[in-house]
Amino acid sequence: MDYNNLLNLYKFKKFQEVLNIINKNPNPSSKELNLKGLIYFQQHQDQEAMSYFLEANKKDENYCDPLINLGKIYFKNKNYIEAKECFLKAQKINLNLSISDFFLAQIYFITLKDFKKTEFHLLKAIDLDPLKNDYYLYLTSFYFNTSAYEKAINFAKKSYQLKKSYFLLKIIAQSYLKLNNVKESNSYYLEYLKYFPQDYESYYAISLNHLFVNDRPNFWLNIKKCLNINPKHSKSILTISRLKEKEIILDENKINEYFSTEKNQYIKADYGFALFNINHNKNNFEKASHYVKHANNLIFKSLNQQLSYDAQEFNIYSKFFNNQFFKKRLSNPKEKKNESKPIFIVGLPRSGSTLLEGVLNHYSLIDSFGEIDYFYRAIEKYYNDLSLDKLDTKIKVSFKENNPEAMIKNYYLELINCKNIFFTDKMLSNFRFIGFIKSCFPQARIIHCIRDRSDNLFSIYSNHLDSTIFPWMYDIKTLKDYYNSYVSLMSHWKNIFEDEIYDFHYERFVNNTDHEAKKLISYLGIEWDENCIKSVGKDELVIKTASYDQARGTIYSNHLKQSENYKAYLGEIFTN
Protein backbone atom coordinates (compact mmCIF):
# COMPACT_ATOMS: atom_id res chain seq x y z
CA MET A 1 0.00 0.00 0.00
CA ASP A 2 1.10 3.55 -0.74
CA TYR A 3 2.71 5.29 2.30
CA ASN A 4 0.25 8.22 2.17
CA ASN A 5 -2.64 5.78 2.48
CA LEU A 6 -0.93 4.18 5.47
CA LEU A 7 -0.51 7.63 6.99
CA ASN A 8 -4.22 8.36 6.57
CA LEU A 9 -5.08 5.10 8.33
CA TYR A 10 -2.73 6.12 11.16
CA LYS A 11 -4.40 9.54 11.45
CA PHE A 12 -7.75 7.81 11.86
CA LYS A 13 -6.15 5.64 14.58
CA LYS A 14 -6.56 2.38 12.69
CA PHE A 15 -3.34 1.21 14.29
CA GLN A 16 -3.79 -2.56 14.00
CA GLU A 17 -4.62 -2.29 10.30
CA VAL A 18 -1.45 -0.24 9.73
CA LEU A 19 0.67 -2.77 11.66
CA ASN A 20 -0.79 -5.70 9.70
CA ILE A 21 0.08 -4.06 6.37
CA ILE A 22 3.64 -3.11 7.42
CA ASN A 23 4.30 -6.55 8.93
CA LYS A 24 3.49 -8.19 5.58
CA ASN A 25 6.26 -6.18 3.93
CA PRO A 26 9.56 -8.13 4.15
CA ASN A 27 11.56 -4.96 3.54
CA PRO A 28 9.70 -1.99 5.11
CA SER A 29 10.94 1.50 4.32
CA SER A 30 12.36 3.85 6.96
CA LYS A 31 9.09 5.81 6.88
CA GLU A 32 7.07 2.66 7.52
CA LEU A 33 9.36 1.66 10.39
CA ASN A 34 9.02 5.13 11.85
CA LEU A 35 5.22 4.89 11.54
CA LYS A 36 5.30 1.52 13.29
CA GLY A 37 7.35 3.07 16.09
CA LEU A 38 4.82 5.90 16.42
CA ILE A 39 2.00 3.41 16.95
CA TYR A 40 3.86 1.71 19.80
CA PHE A 41 4.73 5.14 21.20
CA GLN A 42 1.03 6.05 21.17
CA GLN A 43 0.33 2.83 23.04
CA HIS A 44 3.00 3.68 25.66
CA GLN A 45 5.25 0.80 24.65
CA ASP A 46 8.41 2.90 24.67
CA GLN A 47 11.01 0.14 24.30
CA GLU A 48 9.22 -1.38 21.30
CA ALA A 49 8.83 2.08 19.75
CA MET A 50 12.53 2.89 20.25
CA SER A 51 13.62 -0.30 18.49
CA TYR A 52 11.71 0.70 15.35
CA PHE A 53 12.90 4.33 15.46
CA LEU A 54 16.51 3.09 15.71
CA GLU A 55 15.95 0.67 12.82
CA ALA A 56 14.39 3.46 10.74
CA ASN A 57 17.33 5.76 11.45
CA LYS A 58 19.81 3.01 10.57
CA LYS A 59 18.05 2.44 7.28
CA ASP A 60 18.10 6.15 6.35
CA GLU A 61 20.44 8.33 8.42
CA ASN A 62 19.22 11.47 6.65
CA TYR A 63 15.60 10.93 7.68
CA CYS A 64 14.92 13.27 10.64
CA ASP A 65 11.61 11.93 11.97
CA PRO A 66 12.98 8.83 13.77
CA LEU A 67 15.59 10.98 15.50
CA ILE A 68 12.92 13.46 16.63
CA ASN A 69 10.72 10.65 17.93
CA LEU A 70 13.63 8.98 19.73
CA GLY A 71 14.44 12.32 21.32
CA LYS A 72 10.84 12.63 22.52
CA ILE A 73 11.00 9.25 24.23
CA TYR A 74 14.32 10.07 25.89
CA PHE A 75 12.91 13.44 26.98
CA LYS A 76 9.74 11.85 28.34
CA ASN A 77 11.87 9.50 30.45
CA LYS A 78 14.17 12.33 31.58
CA ASN A 79 17.18 10.97 29.71
CA TYR A 80 18.12 14.50 28.70
CA ILE A 81 21.65 13.81 27.45
CA GLU A 82 20.43 11.20 24.94
CA ALA A 83 17.46 13.40 23.99
CA LYS A 84 19.73 16.38 23.33
CA GLU A 85 21.99 14.22 21.13
CA CYS A 86 18.99 13.11 19.02
CA PHE A 87 17.69 16.65 18.48
CA LEU A 88 21.16 18.01 17.63
CA LYS A 89 21.63 15.19 15.07
CA ALA A 90 18.26 16.06 13.56
CA GLN A 91 19.32 19.71 13.30
CA LYS A 92 22.47 18.73 11.41
CA ILE A 93 20.22 17.14 8.79
CA ASN A 94 17.67 19.96 8.77
CA LEU A 95 18.26 23.27 10.52
CA ASN A 96 14.67 24.35 10.01
CA LEU A 97 12.94 21.86 12.29
CA SER A 98 11.10 23.95 14.86
CA ILE A 99 10.32 20.90 17.03
CA SER A 100 14.05 20.28 17.58
CA ASP A 101 14.54 23.84 18.79
CA PHE A 102 11.51 23.55 21.06
CA PHE A 103 12.83 20.46 22.82
CA LEU A 104 16.42 21.75 22.93
CA ALA A 105 15.14 24.90 24.67
CA GLN A 106 13.45 22.80 27.33
CA ILE A 107 16.54 20.63 27.80
CA TYR A 108 18.85 23.64 28.20
CA PHE A 109 16.50 25.15 30.76
CA ILE A 110 15.87 21.96 32.77
CA THR A 111 19.44 20.67 32.87
CA LEU A 112 21.60 23.80 32.78
CA LYS A 113 19.27 26.73 33.54
CA ASP A 114 20.94 28.22 30.47
CA PHE A 115 18.68 31.22 29.86
CA LYS A 116 20.50 32.38 26.76
CA LYS A 117 20.20 29.09 24.86
CA THR A 118 16.66 28.49 26.10
CA GLU A 119 15.51 31.85 24.81
CA PHE A 120 17.45 31.48 21.54
CA HIS A 121 15.91 28.10 20.65
CA LEU A 122 12.37 29.13 21.64
CA LEU A 123 12.52 32.30 19.56
CA LYS A 124 13.95 30.31 16.65
CA ALA A 125 11.15 27.72 16.95
CA ILE A 126 8.55 30.50 16.81
CA ASP A 127 10.30 32.09 13.85
CA LEU A 128 10.19 28.73 12.00
CA ASP A 129 6.60 27.96 12.96
CA PRO A 130 4.81 31.16 14.03
CA LEU A 131 1.43 29.43 14.38
CA LYS A 132 2.52 26.78 16.89
CA ASN A 133 0.84 27.86 20.11
CA ASP A 134 2.82 25.47 22.37
CA TYR A 135 5.96 27.47 21.64
CA TYR A 136 4.36 30.74 22.74
CA LEU A 137 3.01 29.10 25.90
CA TYR A 138 6.39 27.73 26.92
CA LEU A 139 8.15 31.01 26.15
CA THR A 140 5.53 32.90 28.19
CA SER A 141 6.11 30.54 31.12
CA PHE A 142 9.88 30.85 30.72
CA TYR A 143 9.79 34.65 30.77
CA PHE A 144 7.36 34.74 33.72
CA ASN A 145 9.44 32.31 35.78
CA THR A 146 12.63 34.26 35.08
CA SER A 147 10.98 37.59 36.00
CA ALA A 148 11.03 39.01 32.45
CA TYR A 149 7.46 40.16 32.90
CA GLU A 150 7.16 42.56 29.97
CA LYS A 151 8.25 39.81 27.59
CA ALA A 152 5.89 37.37 29.32
CA ILE A 153 2.99 39.75 28.70
CA ASN A 154 3.98 40.21 25.05
CA PHE A 155 4.10 36.49 24.23
CA ALA A 156 1.06 35.63 26.36
CA LYS A 157 -0.96 38.11 24.31
CA LYS A 158 0.34 36.61 21.07
CA SER A 159 -0.52 33.12 22.32
CA TYR A 160 -4.00 34.27 23.30
CA GLN A 161 -4.55 35.59 19.77
CA LEU A 162 -3.68 32.16 18.37
CA LYS A 163 -5.85 30.28 20.83
CA LYS A 164 -8.05 31.62 23.60
CA SER A 165 -6.48 29.74 26.50
CA TYR A 166 -8.14 31.65 29.31
CA PHE A 167 -5.50 30.89 31.95
CA LEU A 168 -3.23 33.25 29.97
CA LEU A 169 -5.42 36.13 31.14
CA LYS A 170 -4.36 35.35 34.70
CA ILE A 171 -0.68 35.15 33.73
CA ILE A 172 -0.96 38.57 32.07
CA ALA A 173 -2.74 39.95 35.14
CA GLN A 174 -0.06 38.57 37.47
CA SER A 175 2.72 39.93 35.24
CA TYR A 176 1.21 43.42 35.24
CA LEU A 177 1.03 43.31 39.04
CA LYS A 178 4.70 42.33 39.19
CA LEU A 179 5.34 45.52 37.20
CA ASN A 180 3.19 47.47 39.70
CA ASN A 181 0.58 48.19 37.03
CA VAL A 182 -2.50 47.52 39.15
CA LYS A 183 -4.97 48.99 36.66
CA GLU A 184 -3.96 46.65 33.81
CA SER A 185 -3.72 43.72 36.20
CA ASN A 186 -7.32 44.24 37.30
CA SER A 187 -8.54 44.60 33.72
CA TYR A 188 -7.25 41.13 32.82
CA TYR A 189 -8.67 39.54 35.97
CA LEU A 190 -12.03 41.09 35.08
CA GLU A 191 -11.72 39.73 31.54
CA TYR A 192 -11.09 36.27 33.00
CA LEU A 193 -14.17 36.60 35.23
CA LYS A 194 -16.36 37.12 32.16
CA TYR A 195 -15.72 33.47 31.32
CA PHE A 196 -15.46 32.12 34.89
CA PRO A 197 -17.71 34.31 37.07
CA GLN A 198 -17.45 31.94 40.06
CA ASP A 199 -13.65 32.11 40.26
CA TYR A 200 -13.31 33.50 43.77
CA GLU A 201 -9.49 33.54 43.54
CA SER A 202 -9.73 36.23 40.84
CA TYR A 203 -12.00 38.36 43.05
CA TYR A 204 -9.48 37.92 45.85
CA ALA A 205 -6.61 38.96 43.56
CA ILE A 206 -8.54 42.07 42.48
CA SER A 207 -9.31 42.91 46.10
CA LEU A 208 -5.61 42.70 46.99
CA ASN A 209 -4.70 44.90 44.02
CA HIS A 210 -7.05 47.57 45.35
CA LEU A 211 -5.63 47.16 48.85
CA PHE A 212 -2.08 47.58 47.51
CA VAL A 213 -3.01 51.09 46.26
CA ASN A 214 -5.22 51.85 49.29
CA ASP A 215 -8.49 51.79 47.37
CA ARG A 216 -10.50 50.51 50.33
CA PRO A 217 -14.04 50.70 48.83
CA ASN A 218 -13.09 48.49 45.89
CA PHE A 219 -11.08 46.22 48.17
CA TRP A 220 -14.13 45.52 50.29
CA LEU A 221 -16.41 45.21 47.26
CA ASN A 222 -14.29 42.45 45.72
CA ILE A 223 -13.32 40.58 48.87
CA LYS A 224 -17.02 40.36 49.72
CA LYS A 225 -17.64 38.86 46.27
CA CYS A 226 -14.91 36.32 46.97
CA LEU A 227 -16.39 35.36 50.34
CA ASN A 228 -19.93 35.21 48.94
CA ILE A 229 -18.73 32.43 46.61
CA ASN A 230 -16.42 30.78 49.17
CA PRO A 231 -17.14 31.87 52.78
CA LYS A 232 -14.20 29.75 54.03
CA HIS A 233 -11.59 31.34 51.76
CA SER A 234 -8.60 31.36 54.11
CA LYS A 235 -6.54 34.05 52.37
CA SER A 236 -9.45 36.52 52.51
CA ILE A 237 -10.01 35.80 56.21
CA LEU A 238 -6.30 36.24 56.96
CA THR A 239 -6.14 39.51 55.00
CA ILE A 240 -9.16 40.96 56.79
CA SER A 241 -7.72 39.94 60.17
CA ARG A 242 -4.68 42.15 59.50
CA LEU A 243 -6.68 45.33 58.92
CA LYS A 244 -7.46 47.88 61.61
CA GLU A 245 -10.73 49.04 60.02
CA LYS A 246 -13.12 46.27 59.01
CA GLU A 247 -16.37 46.25 57.08
CA ILE A 248 -16.62 42.54 57.81
CA ILE A 249 -16.52 41.43 61.44
CA LEU A 250 -14.80 38.07 61.62
CA ASP A 251 -16.48 35.35 63.66
CA GLU A 252 -13.72 33.89 65.84
CA ASN A 253 -15.76 30.80 66.73
CA LYS A 254 -16.47 30.06 63.09
CA ILE A 255 -12.80 30.50 62.09
CA ASN A 256 -11.75 28.28 65.00
CA GLU A 257 -14.14 25.64 63.65
CA TYR A 258 -12.50 25.93 60.22
CA PHE A 259 -9.09 25.70 61.89
CA SER A 260 -10.04 22.54 63.80
CA THR A 261 -11.52 20.66 60.83
CA GLU A 262 -9.28 21.74 57.92
CA LYS A 263 -7.06 18.99 56.50
CA ASN A 264 -4.84 21.09 54.21
CA GLN A 265 -1.93 22.26 56.36
CA TYR A 266 -1.35 25.55 54.53
CA ILE A 267 -5.02 26.56 54.65
CA LYS A 268 -5.16 25.52 58.30
CA ALA A 269 -2.12 27.74 58.95
CA ASP A 270 -3.91 30.72 57.33
CA TYR A 271 -6.76 30.27 59.82
CA GLY A 272 -4.21 29.97 62.63
CA PHE A 273 -2.52 33.25 61.74
CA ALA A 274 -5.93 34.93 61.41
CA LEU A 275 -6.86 33.71 64.91
CA PHE A 276 -3.53 35.06 66.16
CA ASN A 277 -4.36 38.50 64.72
CA ILE A 278 -7.88 38.47 66.18
CA ASN A 279 -6.63 37.61 69.67
CA HIS A 280 -3.65 39.95 69.45
CA ASN A 281 -6.03 42.83 68.74
CA LYS A 282 -8.06 41.80 71.84
CA ASN A 283 -4.83 41.81 73.92
CA ASN A 284 -5.36 38.11 74.56
CA PHE A 285 -1.66 37.38 74.16
CA GLU A 286 -1.65 33.89 75.67
CA LYS A 287 -4.33 32.66 73.26
CA ALA A 288 -2.66 34.49 70.36
CA SER A 289 0.62 32.73 71.17
CA HIS A 290 -1.06 29.34 71.05
CA TYR A 291 -2.35 29.98 67.52
CA VAL A 292 0.84 31.52 66.13
CA LYS A 293 2.97 28.61 67.37
CA HIS A 294 0.53 26.08 65.93
CA ALA A 295 0.32 27.88 62.55
CA ASN A 296 4.09 28.18 62.20
CA ASN A 297 4.61 24.52 63.09
CA LEU A 298 2.11 23.48 60.42
CA ILE A 299 4.04 25.29 57.70
CA PHE A 300 7.49 24.31 58.92
CA LYS A 301 6.57 20.61 58.98
CA SER A 302 4.80 20.82 55.61
CA LEU A 303 7.93 22.23 54.01
CA ASN A 304 9.79 19.08 55.07
CA GLN A 305 12.72 21.31 55.85
CA GLN A 306 16.17 19.87 55.31
CA LEU A 307 19.31 21.40 56.80
CA SER A 308 19.56 25.12 56.15
CA TYR A 309 22.48 26.10 53.93
CA ASP A 310 22.18 29.88 54.28
CA ALA A 311 25.19 30.13 56.60
CA GLN A 312 27.27 28.11 54.12
CA GLU A 313 26.19 30.38 51.25
CA PHE A 314 26.95 33.53 53.25
CA ASN A 315 30.38 32.13 54.09
CA ILE A 316 31.19 31.64 50.38
CA TYR A 317 30.39 35.29 49.66
CA SER A 318 32.29 36.70 52.63
CA LYS A 319 35.41 34.64 51.87
CA PHE A 320 35.57 35.68 48.23
CA PHE A 321 34.37 39.29 48.40
CA ASN A 322 36.89 40.51 50.95
CA ASN A 323 38.91 43.70 51.46
CA GLN A 324 41.70 42.47 49.21
CA PHE A 325 39.29 41.73 46.37
CA PHE A 326 37.81 45.22 46.38
CA LYS A 327 41.15 46.97 46.73
CA LYS A 328 42.24 45.33 43.48
CA ARG A 329 38.90 45.59 41.72
CA LEU A 330 37.59 48.98 42.70
CA SER A 331 40.53 51.35 42.97
CA ASN A 332 38.97 54.83 42.74
CA PRO A 333 35.91 54.01 40.61
CA LYS A 334 34.87 57.03 38.57
CA GLU A 335 31.22 57.99 38.48
CA LYS A 336 29.93 58.33 34.94
CA LYS A 337 27.42 60.97 33.93
CA ASN A 338 23.83 59.67 33.55
CA GLU A 339 24.87 56.23 34.82
CA SER A 340 22.20 54.29 36.69
CA LYS A 341 22.39 54.70 40.46
CA PRO A 342 20.34 51.96 42.04
CA ILE A 343 19.32 52.27 45.67
CA PHE A 344 19.31 48.80 47.20
CA ILE A 345 17.21 48.47 50.35
CA VAL A 346 18.37 45.39 52.27
CA GLY A 347 17.84 43.68 55.59
CA LEU A 348 15.25 41.34 57.07
CA PRO A 349 11.49 41.40 56.48
CA ARG A 350 9.43 43.53 58.89
CA SER A 351 12.32 45.95 59.52
CA GLY A 352 10.81 49.23 58.29
CA SER A 353 11.65 48.96 54.59
CA THR A 354 8.14 49.89 53.42
CA LEU A 355 8.21 53.01 55.60
CA LEU A 356 11.59 53.92 54.11
CA GLU A 357 10.33 53.32 50.57
CA GLY A 358 7.39 55.62 51.29
CA VAL A 359 9.79 58.47 52.12
CA LEU A 360 11.79 57.99 48.92
CA ASN A 361 8.66 57.59 46.79
CA HIS A 362 7.98 61.31 47.23
CA TYR A 363 10.90 62.17 44.95
CA SER A 364 10.01 62.17 41.26
CA LEU A 365 13.66 61.49 40.31
CA ILE A 366 13.48 58.10 42.11
CA ASP A 367 11.44 55.22 40.69
CA SER A 368 10.20 52.62 43.20
CA PHE A 369 10.20 49.00 42.03
CA GLY A 370 9.32 47.32 45.32
CA GLU A 371 10.48 43.78 46.07
CA ILE A 372 11.89 42.51 42.78
CA ASP A 373 14.18 39.52 42.35
CA TYR A 374 15.91 40.96 39.27
CA PHE A 375 19.42 41.06 40.75
CA TYR A 376 19.18 37.42 41.75
CA ARG A 377 17.89 36.60 38.25
CA ALA A 378 20.85 38.42 36.68
CA ILE A 379 23.32 36.41 38.80
CA GLU A 380 21.41 33.21 38.06
CA LYS A 381 21.49 33.91 34.33
CA TYR A 382 25.26 34.31 34.39
CA TYR A 383 26.08 31.27 36.54
CA ASN A 384 23.12 29.08 35.42
CA ASP A 385 23.27 26.99 38.58
CA LEU A 386 23.61 28.59 42.02
CA SER A 387 23.73 25.33 44.00
CA LEU A 388 26.39 25.51 46.69
CA ASP A 389 28.51 22.46 45.85
CA LYS A 390 30.63 24.32 43.26
CA LEU A 391 29.53 27.93 43.73
CA ASP A 392 32.79 29.15 45.29
CA THR A 393 34.81 27.70 42.39
CA LYS A 394 32.44 29.18 39.81
CA ILE A 395 32.75 32.65 41.32
CA LYS A 396 36.55 32.46 41.54
CA VAL A 397 36.93 31.29 37.93
CA SER A 398 34.44 33.83 36.57
CA PHE A 399 36.17 36.84 38.15
CA LYS A 400 39.61 35.54 37.20
CA GLU A 401 38.90 34.73 33.56
CA ASN A 402 35.84 36.80 32.58
CA ASN A 403 33.98 39.97 33.37
CA PRO A 404 30.80 38.80 35.13
CA GLU A 405 30.04 42.31 36.43
CA ALA A 406 29.20 43.59 32.94
CA MET A 407 26.75 40.82 32.04
CA ILE A 408 25.06 40.78 35.46
CA LYS A 409 24.76 44.57 35.44
CA ASN A 410 23.43 44.77 31.87
CA TYR A 411 20.83 42.03 32.33
CA TYR A 412 19.69 43.55 35.61
CA LEU A 413 19.22 46.97 33.98
CA GLU A 414 17.42 45.31 31.07
CA LEU A 415 14.91 43.76 33.48
CA ILE A 416 14.54 47.01 35.44
CA ASN A 417 14.02 49.04 32.25
CA CYS A 418 14.11 52.31 34.20
CA LYS A 419 14.33 55.75 32.59
CA ASN A 420 15.34 57.54 35.79
CA ILE A 421 18.94 57.46 37.02
CA PHE A 422 17.79 56.68 40.58
CA PHE A 423 15.55 53.73 41.41
CA THR A 424 14.90 51.60 44.48
CA ASP A 425 15.19 47.83 44.63
CA LYS A 426 13.59 46.62 47.88
CA MET A 427 14.43 42.92 47.63
CA LEU A 428 15.65 42.71 51.21
CA SER A 429 17.50 39.41 50.77
CA ASN A 430 19.93 41.16 48.40
CA PHE A 431 22.06 41.75 51.51
CA ARG A 432 23.73 38.45 50.61
CA PHE A 433 24.72 39.85 47.20
CA ILE A 434 26.33 43.11 48.33
CA GLY A 435 29.70 41.85 47.02
CA PHE A 436 28.18 41.39 43.57
CA ILE A 437 26.25 44.67 43.85
CA LYS A 438 29.34 46.75 44.62
CA SER A 439 31.27 44.98 41.84
CA CYS A 440 28.56 45.84 39.30
CA PHE A 441 27.57 49.24 40.69
CA PRO A 442 30.46 50.78 42.70
CA GLN A 443 28.39 53.93 43.21
CA ALA A 444 25.21 52.10 44.30
CA ARG A 445 23.53 53.36 47.44
CA ILE A 446 22.83 50.57 49.93
CA ILE A 447 20.40 51.20 52.76
CA HIS A 448 20.41 48.58 55.50
CA CYS A 449 17.15 48.43 57.48
CA ILE A 450 17.69 47.62 61.16
CA ARG A 451 15.04 46.98 63.80
CA ASP A 452 15.16 45.91 67.45
CA ARG A 453 16.13 42.24 67.40
CA SER A 454 13.22 40.89 69.47
CA ASP A 455 10.63 43.02 67.69
CA ASN A 456 12.02 42.04 64.30
CA LEU A 457 12.09 38.30 65.05
CA PHE A 458 8.62 38.38 66.61
CA SER A 459 7.18 40.33 63.67
CA ILE A 460 8.59 37.83 61.16
CA TYR A 461 7.34 34.87 63.21
CA SER A 462 3.84 36.30 63.69
CA ASN A 463 3.27 37.53 60.12
CA HIS A 464 2.64 34.82 57.56
CA LEU A 465 4.60 36.29 54.61
CA ASP A 466 3.11 33.76 52.22
CA SER A 467 4.33 35.52 49.07
CA THR A 468 7.84 34.42 50.03
CA ILE A 469 7.77 31.20 52.02
CA PHE A 470 11.22 30.48 53.44
CA PRO A 471 11.52 27.68 56.01
CA TRP A 472 13.67 29.78 58.35
CA MET A 473 10.70 32.08 59.03
CA TYR A 474 8.52 29.36 60.61
CA ASP A 475 10.67 27.89 63.37
CA ILE A 476 12.11 29.96 66.20
CA LYS A 477 15.47 28.18 66.40
CA THR A 478 15.95 28.26 62.61
CA LEU A 479 14.85 31.90 62.55
CA LYS A 480 17.44 32.85 65.18
CA ASP A 481 20.18 30.90 63.37
CA TYR A 482 19.35 32.75 60.15
CA TYR A 483 19.31 36.08 61.99
CA ASN A 484 22.78 35.44 63.45
CA SER A 485 24.17 34.48 60.02
CA TYR A 486 22.64 37.62 58.51
CA VAL A 487 24.15 39.84 61.23
CA SER A 488 27.55 38.24 60.69
CA LEU A 489 27.45 38.80 56.93
CA MET A 490 26.28 42.41 57.29
CA SER A 491 29.16 43.03 59.74
CA HIS A 492 31.51 41.73 57.04
CA TRP A 493 30.10 44.13 54.43
CA LYS A 494 30.19 47.06 56.86
CA ASN A 495 33.82 46.29 57.65
CA ILE A 496 34.66 46.60 53.93
CA PHE A 497 32.40 49.46 52.83
CA GLU A 498 31.90 51.33 56.12
CA ASP A 499 29.76 54.44 55.55
CA GLU A 500 29.00 53.45 51.96
CA ILE A 501 26.26 51.32 53.55
CA TYR A 502 23.71 53.47 55.39
CA ASP A 503 22.07 51.99 58.50
CA PHE A 504 18.39 52.95 58.64
CA HIS A 505 17.32 52.33 62.25
CA TYR A 506 13.57 51.84 62.38
CA GLU A 507 13.12 52.89 66.03
CA ARG A 508 15.28 56.00 65.60
CA PHE A 509 13.30 57.03 62.54
CA VAL A 510 9.94 56.58 64.29
CA ASN A 511 11.06 58.50 67.38
CA ASN A 512 12.96 61.31 65.58
CA THR A 513 11.55 61.34 62.06
CA ASP A 514 12.74 64.73 60.76
CA HIS A 515 16.34 64.31 61.90
CA GLU A 516 16.66 60.74 60.61
CA ALA A 517 14.98 61.55 57.28
CA LYS A 518 17.42 64.43 56.66
CA LYS A 519 20.38 62.12 57.33
CA LEU A 520 18.96 59.57 54.90
CA ILE A 521 18.38 62.10 52.10
CA SER A 522 21.84 63.57 52.64
CA TYR A 523 23.37 60.10 52.23
CA LEU A 524 21.60 59.73 48.88
CA GLY A 525 22.97 63.07 47.71
CA ILE A 526 19.62 64.58 46.76
CA GLU A 527 17.94 67.79 47.85
CA TRP A 528 15.97 67.76 51.11
CA ASP A 529 12.21 68.26 50.86
CA GLU A 530 10.22 68.18 54.09
CA ASN A 531 7.18 66.91 52.18
CA CYS A 532 8.88 63.54 51.79
CA ILE A 533 7.76 62.73 55.35
CA LYS A 534 4.21 63.90 54.73
CA SER A 535 4.02 61.70 51.64
CA VAL A 536 4.50 58.47 53.61
CA GLY A 537 1.46 56.24 53.18
CA LYS A 538 0.03 58.16 50.24
CA ASP A 539 -1.92 56.15 47.71
CA GLU A 540 0.57 56.48 44.85
CA LEU A 541 2.91 53.87 46.31
CA VAL A 542 2.02 50.26 45.53
CA ILE A 543 2.50 48.38 48.81
CA LYS A 544 2.44 44.61 48.25
CA THR A 545 3.85 43.53 51.62
CA ALA A 546 2.15 42.63 54.89
CA SER A 547 2.72 46.29 55.87
CA TYR A 548 -0.04 47.51 53.53
CA ASP A 549 -2.15 48.66 56.47
CA GLN A 550 0.30 50.12 58.99
CA ALA A 551 2.43 51.80 56.28
CA ARG A 552 -0.61 53.86 55.19
CA GLY A 553 -1.07 55.48 58.56
CA THR A 554 0.72 58.25 60.41
CA ILE A 555 4.22 57.43 61.64
CA TYR A 556 3.69 56.48 65.27
CA SER A 557 5.60 54.67 68.03
CA ASN A 558 2.87 52.89 69.98
CA HIS A 559 3.57 49.58 68.20
CA LEU A 560 7.25 49.55 69.16
CA LYS A 561 8.26 46.82 71.60
CA GLN A 562 5.03 44.89 70.99
CA SER A 563 7.05 41.71 71.32
CA GLU A 564 7.30 42.41 75.07
CA ASN A 565 3.70 41.20 75.40
CA TYR A 566 4.82 37.71 74.38
CA LYS A 567 7.85 37.19 76.61
CA ALA A 568 5.92 34.87 78.90
CA TYR A 569 4.64 32.72 76.01
CA LEU A 570 7.34 32.87 73.29
CA GLY A 571 10.38 33.30 75.50
CA GLU A 572 12.71 31.47 73.11
CA ILE A 573 12.56 34.42 70.68
CA PHE A 574 14.14 36.70 73.30
CA THR A 575 17.20 34.56 74.05
CA ASN A 576 20.40 34.69 71.98
Side-chain angles (χ1 to χ4, degrees), residues 14 27 98 145 151 209 217 305 315 317 349 405 415 420 427 440 458 474 485 525:
K14 295 184 178 181
N27 187 25
S98 64
N145 290 320
K151 291 180 179 179
N209 282 354
Q305 166 66 349
N315 189 48
Y317 299 142
E405 304 103 307
L415 289 175
N420 269 342
M427 180 53 71
C440 297
F458 171 73
Y474 298 96
S485 296

Side-chain angles (χ1 to χ4, degrees), residues 344-362:
F344 289 92
I345 301 171
V346 303
L348 290 183
R350 313 295 299 158
S351 58
S353 61
T354 304
L355 179 64
L356 163 62
E357 190 181 30
V359 173
L360 301 184
N361 188 61
H362 167 74

Side-chain angles (χ1 to χ4, degrees), residues 353-374:
S353 61
T354 304
L355 179 64
L356 163 62
E357 190 181 30
V359 173
L360 301 184
N361 188 61
H362 167 74
Y363 289 89
S364 59
L365 78 164
I366 303 175
D367 282 339
S368 297
F369 283 88
E371 295 185 7
I372 48 173
D373 63 354
Y374 294 168

